[in-house]
Amino acid sequence: MTPPVFWVDEVPRAGESVLVTGPEGRHAVTVTRLQVGESVVLGDGRGSRAEGTVSEVSGKDRLTVRAGRIQFVARPTPTVTIVQALPKAERSELAVDLMTEAGVDVIVPWQAARSIARWSGAKAAKGVDKWRATAATAAKQARRPWIPEVRDLSTTIDVRDLCARVHADGGVVAMLHEDGATAFAEVDFTGAAEVVLVIGPEGGLTDQEVADLSALGARSVVLGPEVLRTGAAGAVALGALGAVTDRWVRRR
């Protein structure tokens, strides 16, 4: 069986031991039911990870792991940021889960004009916290060395600033749109250090949003003949991007 992955604040050096406790320790002891001598992988979510062996289990949420081989995995290139318009509540966390498993680096929750979900104040903070927790869990399930960064809720002004900055730096900004003028496969990602994919809500991007972002260098792009739900579009786009760049080159 493939050793399970658990997050720690800091990956220990080879030969050192670390105590895994809290939610991660509880899951390891009560759900995974790890025993002394079993193998695990410890990661910090920032590229570092260690193969380890359980040396002690105590209580319901505490186990000690002795680290063996240490590894650092660099982020794949280009870096991919997905600006995700807030989906309906029941699809919100699914979108984050799928994007994380597909390899997104940064997720920007966006209060778009046609977003059915409306976040503000405490609700926005709670929503972002849920997205971050979902990203961490999905990254662990996918055995990713990096947990995607989930930023605070963004306004359209914030999204405009992001797209303008990436375009000015030589990156690629693509708006996924069913009436896009360019096929995704025709976009040239060569040499781009950063890619931004903008995904609208269930009702789609407004004409004004498309016009505003186009004026800042974004390209209106269509993935294929089918119209994708907003919760699935990010993962599909990441898959397409992986096929036309070297992001899917396996890094050991």
Side-chain angles (χ1 to χ4, degrees), residues 79-87 95-110 131 144 148-152 154 159 162-163 166 172-174 176 184 194-200 223 230-239 241 247:
T79 299
V80 181
T81 297
I82 291 186
V83 176
Q84 174 66 63
L86 300 182
V96 175
D97 182 283
L98 293 175
M99 286 188 284
T100 299
E101 292 183 31
V104 70
D105 297 300
V106 180
I107 301 173
V108 177
W110 174 34
W131 281 28
R144 288 187 54 175
E149 175 191 356
V150 178
R151 295 185 180 167
D152 291 337
S154 290
V159 172
L162 169 65
C163 293
V166 171
V172 175
V173 181
L176 303 188
F184 192 93
E194 187 171 1
V195 173
V196 173
L197 303 174
V198 180
I199 299 174
L223 269 175
T230 187
V236 174
L238 285 160
L241 183 63
R247 279 182 59 86

Side-chain angles (χ1 to χ4, degrees), residues 209-233:
E209 288 168 339
V210 172
D212 286 350
L213 296 181
S214 296
L216 296 170
R219 301 179 66 178
S220 182
V221 173
V222 61
L223 269 175
E226 289 80 15
V227 177
L228 298 171
R229 289 184 171 181
T230 187

Side-chain angles (χ1 to χ4, degrees), residues 39-130:
S39 298
V40 299
V41 174
L42 302 177
D44 62 4
R46 301 181 298 277
S48 295
R49 56 187 178 187
E51 298 173 358
T53 304
V54 178
S55 59
E56 182 181 355
V57 177
S58 57
K60 295 182 179 181
D61 64 350
R62 299 167 66 88
L63 76 160
T64 302
V65 176
R66 184 175 179 82
R69 187 173 75 100
I70 309 299
Q71 180 185 30
F72 178 80
V73 181
R75 282 189 183 275
T77 54
T79 299
V80 181
T81 297
I82 291 186
V83 176
Q84 174 66 63
L86 300 182
K88 294 178 182 178
E90 64 271 18
R91 296 188 176 276
S92 182
E93 290 167 47
L94 174 62
V96 175
D97 182 283
L98 293 175
M99 286 188 284
T100 299
E101 292 183 31
V104 70
D105 297 300
V106 180
I107 301 173
V108 177
W110 174 34
Q111 189 75 72
R114 290 177 176 163
S115 291
I116 295 174
R118 312 305 295 182
W119 288 5
S120 62
K123 186 174 182 179
K126 183 177 180 180
V128 170
D129 285 345
K130 283 186 176 181

Side-chain angles (χ1 to χ4, degrees), residues 141-156:
Q141 181 67 32
R143 306 184 68 79
R144 288 187 54 175
W146 290 85
I147 299 174
E149 175 191 356
V150 178
R151 295 185 180 167
D152 291 337
L153 179 65
S154 290
T155 64
T156 298

